[in-house]
Amino acid sequence: MASVTIRDVAKKANVGIGTVSRVINKSTAVSQETRQKVLAAIQALGYTPHPLARRLSLGRTLTVGVVLPFLTLPSYVERLRGVQQMLEDSEYDLSLHSRENPAKLNQLIDELSLNKSVDGAIVFSLIPSELQIQQFAQARIPLILVDACHPDVNRVYIDDEKGGYLATSHLIELGHRKIAFLSDYLENPFKFTAMRKRYDGYRRALEQAGLPFRPDYHQEGTLGARDSFEKAKILLSLPERPSAVFAASDTHAVGVIKAAHELGLKVPENLSVVGYDDIRDAEYLDITTIHQPLFESGKESVNILLASLIEPPEAPSDVKLPIELIIRGTTARPT
Amino acid sequence: MASVTIRDVAKKANVGIGTVSRVINKSTAVSQETRQKVLAAIQALGYTPHPLARRLSLGRTLTVGVVLPFLTLPSYVERLRGVQQMLEDSEYDLSLHSRENPAKLNQLIDELSLNKSVDGAIVFSLIPSELQIQQFAQARIPLILVDACHPDVNRVYIDDEKGGYLATSHLIELGHRKIAFLSDYLENPFKFTAMRKRYDGYRRALEQAGLPFRPDYHQEGTLGARDSFEKAKILLSLPERPSAVFAASDTHAVGVIKAAHELGLKVPENLSVVGYDDIRDAEYLDITTIHQPLFESGKESVNILLASLIEPPEAPSDVKLPIELIIRGTTARPT
DNA sequence: CTGTTAGCGCATTCAC
DNA sequence: GTGAATGCGCTAACAG
């Protein structure tokens, strides 16, 4: 009923509460004898330190906040998994913060930097405002950006421009000349930048190969297979139909493949498709794609965070994770 | 630098800290005049109440814990989305707890019921032990089971046996006689029960139609499309090949469809497939399936939780959500 | 080594 | 209405 506190333990063990605290935090030396007494009392009473009291006293929340736009994207979930797993053996809790609305999301980040509710924050795909970055710094709350970059902030990311270039080049090397690009909206309310960079890589590869950029070969659609499907159908119904599509995410790629089937096109015989991200489904659906270490990016962000918590670093971490073209079954020479 | 506390605000506004607290919690009456003074001081100092101190004093953690086995299953993520969205406008934080290992997961639930770290807990697909259920009750921590049932605990669930029956009956009504069943392991370390019930429904439908149950028509594989793919190939390579497969989850169904393609079978012309869950991909991939309100189940669990927090209910909530057969493009009459 | 005391920052009685 | 005092449960600094 009445929660058992450290005082109860102290009384039962005939020691002061300080000693009990010492035993719990296995910090300073306590004689073997009294330690046993205390341990026995704790056992007998089924005592558990009250986390809030402990944290308030410590001046640490022992909580890591993860901020992400939405859970509907497999890549975010995979990153979250990485974060979760890395936090598993630490003393930190994971508090999840997500808002599917850009304004609310922004407000969320603000609160996280102002309310002293987390010891550190990991943000996916978003670049906080300069002010927010200052607020985190001022509050001494380590901030890690995943899949986003800012010179003053710890970051774990990949070279998206290069990824776009790799994907497109692969198609060019196979002999494709008519290469379409399907992406999320380059300009978007969340201000994601990855799509823009992949687009830049696409353009660069085309240019380098002396291929013209055709605006009608570029379609934008919301993330998610549904819209991709519709947009892909537009691309594949063009008078001069592309022989290959670079889809800026695997989810988009699924849409393209579906559209191809719908239009009676065989992949990769009649249409080559390259995706991006290498989410779990990509391997399974045998999609040629740009692999990016999603799970690892989550883990790495936690590593940086925990290290920063122990000792504030001089300069922000800059971890560029490797990407790799994974050739699977959705790309082939044009026929 | 030095965190601004309630005391600073009080000093600046020339009032006592009690008054500041009253203004913050808009509880007791405060004169319009002093309220303005306090508000101004708060504004000027950029004061934010320290969450931990507030919670310790209130005796409430203002945190809801969600426990789930893994994030690799789309249906869990969708449920989590529902929880998150419902919590968004509340004063509660969401702490995420997941362990992909049964033993660790069990330990997690134990801690949650013992450590006073959450005001309420939502558990996905698992039935805590009797002892754990008692611990939650004793700690007065409302517990909500989603996709799992226990007579003494709040629960949000669906009738899985009926779902299995509906799916199988649909195939029978189309004229199928050779109906295979692909599911997760009926006996599993997490002790999930949904699969077993869907299996029971499958058996009942067969029996009712006078169709024999054939053990070789039942394959079990881990969740996830990969393994489903392999197991589906076994089913589809049987001498007497089934004309239809009831897949106990949409993820399994995707595996079956993939296997069918691999073996040169057209869906639904040569093979009908019914899935289960109606995850986002199912609509998109046009899979006939049993719809279950995943997102809503998450929302509903929060509703029950918040209500229990305001007023402990006499009896546990029992919310059975409706399921529905959604006929899409993967089922047809056998040819 | 160990008991005691003083906060951590806030909510909430109490008197005024 | 409002201020001061008490306590939430714990850690840490301080004496002994």
Side-chain angles (χ1 to χ4, degrees):
Chain A
M1 182 71 248
S3 248
V4 30
T5 79
I6 197 173
R7 225 172 301 270
D8 301 320
V9 176
K11 197 179 301 175
K12 176 143 192 137
N14 276 324
V15 298
I17 63 170
T19 302
V20 178
S21 178
R22 274 183 280 265
V23 171
I24 292 169
N25 298 295
K26 16 185 160 283
S27 53
T28 337
V30 179
S31 86
Q32 202 50 241
E33 194 176 2
T34 53
R35 151 166 282 114
Q36 290 309 327
K37 275 199 305 184
V38 172
L39 254 24
I42 289 178
Q43 184 82 27
L45 268 43
Y47 168 72
T48 308
H50 188 121
L52 289 182
R54 181 174 155 71
R55 290 160 195 216
L56 177 61
S57 187
L58 279 171
R60 307 194 291 152
T61 64
L62 297 185
T63 299
V64 168
V66 172
V67 179
L68 50 82
F70 26 74
L71 285 165
T72 49
L73 219 57
S75 54
Y76 290 142
V77 175
E78 196 60 17
R79 289 194 161 105
L80 180 60
R81 271 190 68 225
V83 171
Q84 191 283 319
Q85 195 157 110
M86 210 62 199
L87 243 25
E88 207 167 293
D89 297 314
S90 76
E91 55 183 344
Y92 291 89
D93 278 349
L94 165 50
S95 72
L96 181 64
H97 307 259
S98 96
R99 294 294 118 100
E100 301 188 0
N101 164 317
K104 286 192 177 181
L105 191 57
N106 185 60
Q107 184 189 342
L108 198 59
I109 297 178
D110 238 66
E111 290 173 8
L112 223 52
S113 68
L114 265 13
N115 296 359
K116 299 214 138 229
S117 58
V118 297
D119 287 343
I122 297 174
V123 176
F124 289 175
S125 293
L126 301 165
I127 303 178
S129 70
E130 294 296 329
L131 177 59
Q132 289 168 335
I133 289 174
Q134 276 182 35
Q135 289 168 350
F136 276 109
Q138 201 162 333
R140 304 225 181 298
I141 299 176
L143 172 65
I144 324 289
L145 266 31
V146 176
D147 186 37
C149 286
H150 185 288
D152 302 339
V153 184
N154 301 295
R155 51 199 180 272
V156 178
Y157 63 100
I158 59 167
D159 187 340
D160 276 303
E161 199 273 346
K162 179 180 167 192
Y165 178 82
L166 280 181
T168 311
S169 295
H170 169 59
L171 293 170
I172 292 172
E173 281 163 19
L174 283 172
H176 291 277
R177 311 287 297 172
K178 293 180 284 187
I179 303 172
F181 180 55
L182 175 63
S183 69
D184 195 357
Y185 291 97
L186 265 29
E187 304 295 335
N188 60 73
F190 289 103
K191 300 190 178 161
F192 298 143
T193 59
M195 288 296 153
R196 163 70 65 180
K197 291 180 184 160
R198 293 172 196 179
Y199 169 78
D200 290 341
Y202 162 74
R203 293 288 300 262
R204 180 161 67 92
L206 287 186
E207 188 171 355
Q208 184 174 308
L211 296 174
F213 167 69
R214 299 176 47 160
D216 59 333
Y217 274 13
H218 178 211
Q219 280 289 330
E220 299 172 289
T222 55
L223 292 157
R226 155 102 326 157
D227 197 31
S228 312
F229 174 63
E230 300 299 337
K231 297 301 165 54
K233 278 202 292 192
I234 296 176
L235 287 175
L236 300 183
S237 303
L238 249 27
E240 202 169 338
R241 181 163 51 75
S243 68
V245 176
F246 167 34
S249 84
D250 290 334
T251 316
H252 285 102
V254 173
V256 175
I257 293 168
K258 187 82 195 310
H261 285 157
E262 170 113 348
L263 297 175
L265 299 172
K266 277 194 177 301
V267 175
E269 291 80 355
N270 307 320
L271 181 75
S272 283
V273 180
V274 181
Y276 205 108
D277 285 344
D278 203 20
I279 61 176
R280 301 168 94 80
D281 282 353
E283 181 193 354
Y284 173 65
L285 296 174
D286 205 30
I287 299 174
T288 294
T289 192
I290 301 293
H291 172 80
Q292 77 162 299
L294 297 168
F295 185 77
E296 289 74 12
S297 72
K299 290 178 69 168
E300 186 56 29
S301 66
V302 172
N303 283 336
I304 297 175
L305 183 50
L306 295 184
S308 307
L309 251 17
I310 294 174
E311 183 178 332
E314 305 286 318
S317 294
D318 177 298
V319 177
K320 185 196 284 191
L321 261 21
I323 59 175
E324 186 185 355
L325 172 70
I326 308 281
I327 300 176
R328 298 207 181 93
T330 56
T331 50
R333 315 195 73 81
T335 50
Chain B
M1 181 71 246
S3 248
V4 32
T5 78
I6 197 173
R7 225 173 301 271
D8 302 319
V9 176
K11 197 178 301 174
K12 175 141 193 139
N14 275 325
V15 297
I17 63 169
T19 304
V20 178
S21 178
R22 274 182 277 264
V23 171
I24 292 170
N25 297 295
K26 14 182 162 287
S27 53
T28 336
V30 178
S31 88
Q32 201 51 242
E33 195 177 1
T34 52
R35 152 167 281 115
Q36 290 309 326
K37 277 197 307 185
V38 172
L39 253 24
I42 289 179
Q43 184 81 26
L45 269 44
Y47 168 71
T48 308
H50 189 120
L52 288 182
R54 181 174 156 70
R55 292 162 192 213
L56 176 60
S57 187
L58 279 171
R60 307 194 292 152
T61 64
L62 297 184
T63 298
V64 168
V66 173
V67 180
L68 48 81
F70 26 74
L71 284 165
T72 48
L73 219 57
S75 54
Y76 290 142
V77 176
E78 196 60 18
R79 289 192 160 108
L80 180 59
R81 272 191 67 224
V83 170
Q84 191 283 319
Q85 195 158 110
M86 210 63 197
L87 242 26
E88 206 167 293
D89 297 313
S90 77
E91 55 183 344
Y92 291 89
D93 278 349
L94 165 51
S95 71
L96 180 65
H97 307 259
S98 96
R99 292 296 119 100
E100 301 188 358
N101 164 317
K104 285 192 178 181
L105 190 57
N106 185 60
Q107 185 189 341
L108 197 59
I109 297 178
D110 238 64
E111 291 173 7
L112 223 53
S113 68
L114 264 13
N115 294 359
K116 298 214 139 228
S117 58
V118 297
D119 288 343
I122 297 173
V123 175
F124 289 174
S125 293
L126 301 165
I127 302 179
S129 71
E130 294 296 329
L131 177 58
Q132 288 168 333
I133 289 173
Q134 275 181 37
Q135 289 168 350
F136 276 109
Q138 201 161 332
R140 305 225 181 297
I141 299 176
L143 172 65
I144 324 288
L145 265 33
V146 177
D147 187 38
C149 287
H150 186 287
D152 301 338
V153 184
N154 302 296
R155 52 201 180 271
V156 178
Y157 63 100
I158 59 167
D159 186 339
D160 276 303
E161 199 274 346
K162 180 180 166 193
Y165 177 83
L166 281 180
T168 311
S169 295
H170 169 58
L171 293 169
I172 292 172
E173 282 164 18
L174 282 172
H176 291 278
R177 311 287 296 172
K178 293 181 284 187
I179 303 172
F181 179 55
L182 175 63
S183 69
D184 194 357
Y185 291 98
L186 266 28
E187 304 296 335
N188 61 75
F190 289 103
K191 300 191 178 160
F192 298 142
T193 58
M195 288 296 153
R196 164 68 67 181
K197 290 180 185 162
R198 292 172 195 179
Y199 170 80
D200 290 342
Y202 162 75
R203 292 289 300 262
R204 181 161 65 91
L206 287 185
E207 188 171 356
Q208 185 175 308
L211 296 174
F213 166 71
R214 298 176 47 161
D216 59 334
Y217 272 16
H218 178 210
Q219 280 289 331
E220 298 171 290
T222 55
L223 292 157
R226 158 97 330 153
D227 196 33
S228 310
F229 174 64
E230 299 300 336
K231 297 301 167 54
K233 278 203 290 192
I234 297 176
L235 286 175
L236 301 182
S237 304
L238 249 27
E240 201 169 340
R241 180 164 51 76
S243 67
V245 176
F246 167 34
S249 83
D250 289 335
T251 314
H252 284 100
V254 172
V256 174
I257 293 169
K258 186 82 196 310
H261 285 157
E262 170 115 349
L263 297 175
L265 299 172
K266 277 194 177 299
V267 175
E269 290 80 355
N270 307 321
L271 182 74
S272 284
V273 180
V274 181
Y276 205 109
D277 284 344
D278 203 19
I279 61 176
R280 301 169 92 82
D281 282 353
E283 181 191 355
Y284 173 66
L285 296 175
D286 206 31
I287 299 174
T288 295
T289 192
I290 299 294
H291 171 81
Q292 77 163 301
L294 296 168
F295 185 77
E296 289 74 13
S297 73
K299 290 178 69 168
E300 186 57 29
S301 67
V302 173
N303 282 337
I304 297 174
L305 182 50
L306 296 184
S308 306
L309 250 18
I310 294 173
E311 183 179 332
E314 306 285 317
S317 293
D318 177 299
V319 177
K320 185 197 284 192
L321 259 22
I323 58 175
E324 187 186 355
L325 172 69
I326 308 280
I327 300 176
R328 297 206 181 94
T330 55
T331 49
R333 318 194 72 82
T335 52

